[in-house]
Amino acid sequence: MGMHIYLEFEEKLSEEEILTRQPQTMRIEVSSRKEAIDKWSAIKKVMPLPQHYEVRIHFCYHDEGKPCRFETIERR
């Protein structure tokens, strides 16, 4: 199978919020780091990042039995 790459948007919760709910997350599969950055550039023109969210690239290696790697693009 191989590695998958995603553009992810994840809500950052306070310590209290973590006890009562899961963060809201959205994931878009992309083919490369460049595609993820280009998609975020296009998306943020029409949808600004809400407070307490992080935009990151998720390099998923689960199919290879390895840990994932994350690269933060923007955080509010």
Side-chain angles (χ1 to χ4, degrees), residues 2 4 6 9-10 13-15 22 33 38-40 45-46 51-53 59 62 67 71 73:
H4 295 273
Y6 303 99
F9 304 84
E10 184 172 274
L13 303 177
S14 69
E15 289 183 24
Q22 294 290 315
R33 180 185 183 281
D38 290 346
K39 279 196 187 295
W40 172 235
K45 289 177 184 175
V46 295
Q51 289 290 332
H52 310 293
Y53 268 78
F59 299 91
H62 283 134
E71 178 184 333
I73 299 174

Side-chain angles (χ1 to χ4, degrees), residues 55-70:
V55 179
R56 64 187 182 196
I57 303 171
H58 175 166
F59 299 91
C60 183
Y61 296 96
H62 283 134
D63 291 343
E64 300 172 15
K66 299 176 184 175
C68 295
R69 184 172 62 84
F70 300 91

Side-chain angles (χ1 to χ4, degrees), residues 15-76:
E15 289 183 24
E16 288 179 8
E17 291 172 320
I18 289 171
L19 299 173
T20 60
R21 65 186 189 90
Q22 294 290 315
Q24 296 292 311
T25 303
M26 184 174 77
R27 176 186 284 180
I28 302 168
E29 189 162 10
V30 294
S31 61
S32 67
R33 180 185 183 281
K34 181 184 181 325
E35 182 183 0
I37 300 230
D38 290 346
K39 279 196 187 295
W40 172 235
S41 292
I43 290 169
K44 73 180 178 180
K45 289 177 184 175
V46 295
M47 184 189 86
L49 187 63
Q51 289 290 332
H52 310 293
Y53 268 78
E54 177 178 15
V55 179
R56 64 187 182 196
I57 303 171
H58 175 166
F59 299 91
C60 183
Y61 296 96
H62 283 134
D63 291 343
E64 300 172 15
K66 299 176 184 175
C68 295
R69 184 172 62 84
F70 300 91
E71 178 184 333
T72 299
I73 299 174
E74 192 169 327
R75 182 181 296 152
R76 280 191 79 192

